[in-house]
Amino acid sequence: MKNMKSARKIVAATIPFLLLLLVIALVMYSNPIYDRKVTHLVTPVQGKVDVPSSGDGISQLQGDWSFYWKQFLYQNLPSPDPSYAVLPGSWNSAGIIDPFGYATYGLEVSGLDPSRMYGFRVGHTLSAFRIVINDQTVHLVGFPGKTIEEEIPAWNSVVARFRPRSDGTAEIMLQISNHYDRFGGSNASLYLGEASLMNKMEDSQKLTEGLVFSILFIMGIFFLALFLFRTKERPFLWFATICFLVGFRTLCYDGFVLLDLFPRLPWQVFMRMGYLTFSLVIIAFIGFLGTIFPSLVKKSHFNVVTVVFGAYSLLVAFGPTFVTTGLLFYMQLLALGVVFYGLFMIIRACALHLESGPWLLAGFSFAILSFVYDVLVSMWIISGLSLSHLGMSICLFCLALMVIERYSTSFHKARIMTGQLQVLNTSLRRFVPGEFLSFLKKDSISDVMPGDHVEVEMAIMSADIRSFTTMAEKMLPDEVFSFLNEYLQLVAPLVRANGGFIAKYEGDGFYALFPGGAEAAVQCAVQIQSALTGRNRTFPEKTPISVGIGIDAGMLTLGTIGDTYRMDGTFVSHCVACAGKLESCTKLYRSRILISGAVLSGLSDPLSWFLRPVDRIEIGIEPAFLFEVYNNDEERVRELKWKTQNDLEHAVFAYFAGQHDESRIFLTRVLSSYPDDPVARYYAGRIQL
């Protein structure tokens, strides 16, 4: 029954992601190039092609073009022995080995409707090109040159509009130069069709890429937020990084949407950003697997991949472009190796029945297949559009379901562990805080006997959650348990980090001891208040936590009480009562932290803290001055307290000296600057100002 409920929850959670995939599918379906009734594959032969159907649709051109090496021509030349090269493809198909140079591709098109306006689409071409149709330059991307000095490299996809000759023919000349990249030619599919259809195709392509980027970016933020909420879940951070990188890569290729957003972006910057998405995503991929399957992916493997692709990333960012492009092929081979290594590890995880294995196999199968396809396109082995972003969208769908399942499983395990914890607590009734052992000079807790004690000098902190009873009345018991544990998990590490330990829990409060003395206790108190402020600001939807803290210092007796069947660690001292009293006084003075005079005298540099006197109280027979530490107050309040501190000191000391008239003068000055000062208003009430 529980499994059925969990399955229903997962199915229900799939609906939003299915809707996102449906939106992407609908946008893609609106692109005419995916409609086989509209788009047809047409094969040019020896530089000529007849497209009788192009008036009603789009022709995808893939075949032989006339080829003129190291010539920029505006029309085909008669030649007894013409050369041909395949487009899409590099000029290697014409027997040209040198990747650097320039050439002209020519195509004679017939079967066009003279009354129609046509569009000719050219995509990723390296590294600059000019489109000439019927002896007229109709589009220029970068500036093709005969030398590296003449060439201005650029990437873009364009639709060149033209009208055929009166006999329904057109002569298309594609002038290409490459003096920067590893191949010369064009590896993007070439399309020819009616202008409105071509524009629709281009708009749909850009819209799809923009939509996929938005989804990947939003999901990246989602997984990043999960990581910030649970920083131990490092796979979320790595996967968020993958989402951001692949999403940004979507803008850098095919439709080149990034150039629509930043048309003046220099080619050098644009090229480096595109290449960086490749190398960095490999590091993020192996980092993700290493954190989700640490028992399978060795740290040494992660280090090797990070060093190799990190070094290449630095080369991409700062090295010469011809070196970067020259090494790309070898890096792509290494990347394929890393990807198949990752796939093998995911398959192993499934075989070992590790958590999340099936979801990762389902998701990353799509992502890996699309990545391999994109690498083959980038290697110019095949031609086509990038698919990594689509594969990642499906992968995200599976990974989101994985997260939902993991959280559902975690909640189920938490309920089981709660019951187990009750059993465990019963078996540990003889528990004595381990920190007591060092003071009692015992090697093992089994050596501790009731009545063992020692006198030590240290600082003691009393902390209590404000209005906890009111908050608890509005919570379920499980919520109270979770709330208290979240609070203690936040503050307890700070106590330990400052050399202290929590010696006693009292409901929503606790006592902590600091062998390091006053400095450590005050430092810890300030850190606790800062951590709570940060938690309340970061999670405004949660119940805010406000804590009052009192600190005293002096001699105390530390030891154990009970019998051989049930013992507990405890401490006895005048300081304990004083710290508790100071903590309760924080409500009266609306203070966060109150300390005693003994703590003040134990500070190495009292002037480094924001301190001011508040009151004098009597604990037993000994009067004690208490001081407010207001480091954690809001900046405006802290400045007002600092500004009026001298006047408040005079007012307080004058009051206890019996000089009430003088005290009134200084209190008036304080309240004129800071009317809401709770301490000044308290004394004003006492002397009837």
Side-chain angles (χ1 to χ4, degrees):
M1 182 63 69
K2 292 181 179 179
N3 291 335
M4 288 292 294
K5 290 182 179 179
S6 178
R8 283 197 294 268
K9 290 180 180 179
I10 294 174
V11 171
T14 64
I15 295 177
F17 301 103
L18 286 173
L19 291 176
L20 288 176
L21 292 177
L22 178 62
V23 170
I24 295 176
L26 290 174
V27 174
M28 290 185 62
Y29 182 74
S30 69
N31 193 331
I33 65 171
Y34 298 112
D35 188 347
R36 292 296 98 184
K37 296 180 181 179
V38 177
T39 302
H40 311 277
L41 181 63
V42 179
T43 304
V45 179
Q46 294 186 349
K48 297 180 180 181
V49 67
D50 184 69
V51 286
S53 63
S54 62
D56 300 318
I58 296 175
S59 297
Q60 182 179 354
L61 305 176
Q62 187 170 338
D64 296 333
W65 288 53
S66 299
F67 182 75
Y68 306 92
W69 177 241
K70 292 202 173 178
Q71 296 182 72
F72 282 151
L73 301 179
Y74 285 78
Q75 59 182 2
N76 284 300
L77 296 178
S79 174
D81 187 19
S83 295
Y84 301 101
V86 176
L87 278 181
S90 71
W91 52 48
N92 291 350
S93 62
I96 306 301
I97 300 177
D98 190 353
F100 303 118
Y102 60 98
T104 300
Y105 292 82
L107 183 66
E108 296 180 11
V109 184
S110 60
L112 304 175
D113 185 347
S115 64
R116 293 177 181 266
M117 179 67 73
Y118 286 85
F120 173 57
R121 184 186 187 273
V122 181
H124 196 187
T125 301
L126 304 177
S127 51
F129 65 93
R130 178 188 290 111
I131 303 174
V132 178
I133 303 179
N134 297 334
D135 303 330
Q136 299 293 323
T137 299
V138 293
H139 230 297
L140 196 65
V141 174
F143 189 86
K146 297 181 179 180
T147 65
I148 191 172
E149 291 78 16
E150 291 181 6
E151 182 183 283
I152 301 176
W155 289 352
N156 211 339
S157 63
V158 297
V159 175
R161 295 166 60 91
F162 70 95
R163 194 176 294 277
R165 299 188 182 108
S166 59
D167 61 354
T169 64
E171 187 175 47
I172 300 176
M173 309 297 290
L174 189 58
Q175 301 175 5
I176 300 175
S177 71
N178 177 53
H179 297 286
Y180 287 88
D181 225 308
R182 59 202 174 99
F183 290 113
S186 178
N187 197 37
S189 298
L190 304 173
Y191 296 94
L192 175 65
E194 197 271 330
S196 62
L197 274 176
M198 298 299 296
N199 289 333
K200 181 180 180 182
M201 177 191 74
E202 188 77 357
D203 292 342
S204 296
Q205 177 70 25
K206 292 180 182 291
L207 180 60
T208 301
E209 291 169 1
L211 180 62
V212 171
F213 164 76
S214 301
I215 292 174
L216 290 174
F217 187 77
I218 291 172
M219 292 302 294
I221 294 176
F222 169 72
F223 280 97
L224 180 60
L226 287 179
F227 168 73
L228 295 176
F229 181 69
R230 298 185 63 180
T231 54
K232 292 183 178 179
E233 295 284 355
R234 288 187 296 164
F236 293 155
L237 177 62
W238 284 113
F239 196 76
T241 304
I242 294 175
C243 292
F244 291 136
L245 290 172
V246 176
F248 185 76
R249 184 177 177 82
T250 304
L251 305 181
C252 296
Y253 293 96
D254 294 333
F256 299 97
V257 177
L258 191 63
L259 292 177
D260 295 325
L261 301 175
F262 304 98
R264 295 185 179 181
L265 187 66
W267 175 80
Q268 292 271 6
V269 176
F270 186 41
M271 173 263 186
R272 294 178 192 275
M273 289 192 299
Y275 272 53
L276 279 173
T277 58
F278 157 71
S279 55
L280 294 179
V281 81
I282 297 299
I283 297 175
F285 172 68
I286 197 67
F288 173 78
L289 290 182
T291 52
I292 205 164
F293 299 132
S295 61
L296 297 181
V297 180
K298 296 181 179 179
K299 190 173 182 180
S300 59
H301 295 171
F302 168 76
N303 292 338
V304 169
V305 173
T306 301
V307 169
V308 172
F309 284 89
Y312 183 69
S313 298
L314 293 174
L315 185 62
V316 170
F318 305 106
T321 56
F322 72 90
V323 177
T324 297
T325 57
L327 291 176
L328 180 61
F329 174 78
Y330 305 101
M331 299 305 298
Q332 288 171 333
L333 291 178
L334 289 175
L336 287 175
V338 173
V339 167
F340 284 116
Y341 166 82
L343 181 60
F344 175 70
M345 289 302 168
I346 293 174
I347 294 174
R348 281 192 62 193
C350 292
L352 295 172
H353 303 290
L354 296 183
E355 186 182 11
S356 307
W359 287 118
L360 286 176
L361 181 61
F364 272 99
S365 294
F366 289 100
I368 290 172
L369 288 174
S370 61
F371 175 79
V372 172
Y373 174 84
D374 281 5
V375 170
L376 295 177
V377 171
S378 180
M379 289 179 173
W380 294 53
I381 297 174
I382 60 176
S383 62
L385 299 173
S386 297
L387 296 180
S388 290
H389 50 285
L390 299 179
M392 278 300 300
S393 298
I394 299 175
C395 182
L396 275 172
F397 170 76
C398 296
L399 265 291
L401 297 182
M402 179 197 77
V403 172
I404 294 169
E405 183 188 43
R406 290 184 68 175
Y407 269 89
S408 177
T409 304
S410 297
F411 291 140
H412 178 64
K413 288 181 178 179
R415 287 193 293 269
I416 296 175
M417 290 177 65
T418 301
Q420 293 175 341
L421 184 61
Q422 294 175 351
V423 176
L424 185 62
N425 285 336
T426 302
S427 65
L428 294 178
R429 287 180 178 176
R430 293 185 72 250
F431 175 78
V432 175
E435 288 82 359
F436 279 75
L437 295 177
S438 60
F439 293 105
L440 297 177
K441 298 181 179 180
K442 302 293 184 180
D443 295 328
S444 173
I445 194 170
S446 61
D447 298 330
V448 178
M449 298 300 294
D452 289 344
H453 67 279
V454 64
E455 287 190 355
V456 290
E457 182 175 2
M458 59 179 66
I460 182 168
M461 170 195 295
S462 174
D464 189 75
I465 300 176
R466 291 285 164 262
S467 305
F468 176 76
T469 302
T470 303
M471 290 189 292
E473 289 174 352
K474 301 177 182 179
M475 297 180 184
L476 296 174
D478 287 348
E479 293 174 333
V480 174
F481 180 83
S482 299
F483 177 82
L484 284 175
N485 277 282
E486 179 194 358
Y487 160 65
L488 293 172
Q489 287 170 5
L490 181 65
V491 302
L494 298 176
V495 174
R496 291 191 294 270
N498 286 278
F501 61 94
I502 296 178
K504 182 189 294 185
Y505 292 103
E506 290 188 344
D508 58 308
F510 65 84
Y511 283 92
L513 303 179
F514 293 85
E519 195 87 42
V522 175
Q523 180 70 42
C524 178
V526 171
Q527 291 178 1
I528 288 175
Q529 296 292 358
S530 297
L532 293 175
T533 300
R535 178 262 187 198
N536 295 338
R537 182 171 55 248
T538 305
F539 304 103
E541 73 280 1
K542 292 187 176 183
T543 303
I545 301 178
S546 177
V547 172
I549 297 176
I551 304 174
D552 194 16
M555 296 297 298
L556 57 84
T557 301
L558 190 71
T560 58
I561 58 174
D563 57 28
T564 55
Y565 294 97
R566 174 70 172 94
M567 288 188 299
D568 195 6
T570 190
F571 43 92
V572 179
S573 172
H574 165 77
C575 301
V576 178
C578 184
K581 180 65 175 180
L582 295 180
E583 177 273 314
S584 64
C585 286
T586 58
K587 304 173 187 177
L588 176 64
Y589 306 114
R590 287 187 288 163
S591 303
R592 298 172 187 261
I593 304 170
L594 292 178
I595 65 174
S596 68
V599 174
L600 177 66
S601 62
L603 297 177
S604 59
D605 183 12
L607 296 179
S608 64
W609 305 89
F610 288 98
L611 295 165
R612 64 175 189 168
V614 170
D615 201 351
R616 187 177 66 183
I617 59 176
E618 292 187 3
I619 306 296
I621 60 174
E622 296 184 15
F625 252 102
L626 57 95
F627 298 83
E628 179 186 29
V629 181
Y630 58 95
N631 287 62
N632 299 102
D633 284 7
E634 295 179 4
E635 185 176 355
R636 182 188 65 84
V637 174
R638 190 170 62 241
E639 290 179 354
L640 288 172
K641 288 183 178 181
W642 175 255
K643 178 181 178 181
T644 59
Q645 179 165 315
N646 288 334
D647 289 333
L648 183 67
E649 289 180 2
H650 282 92
V652 171
F653 291 128
Y655 174 83
F656 285 105
Q659 301 170 356
H660 290 183
D661 290 339
E662 184 176 349
S663 180
R664 288 189 182 93
I665 295 173
F666 287 103
L667 286 174
T668 301
R669 293 172 61 176
V670 172
L671 292 172
S672 64
S673 297
Y674 183 23
D676 296 327
D677 189 324
V679 176
R681 293 176 66 87
Y682 170 76
Y683 280 99
R686 291 175 71 172
I687 61 176
Q688 298 180 351
L689 179 63

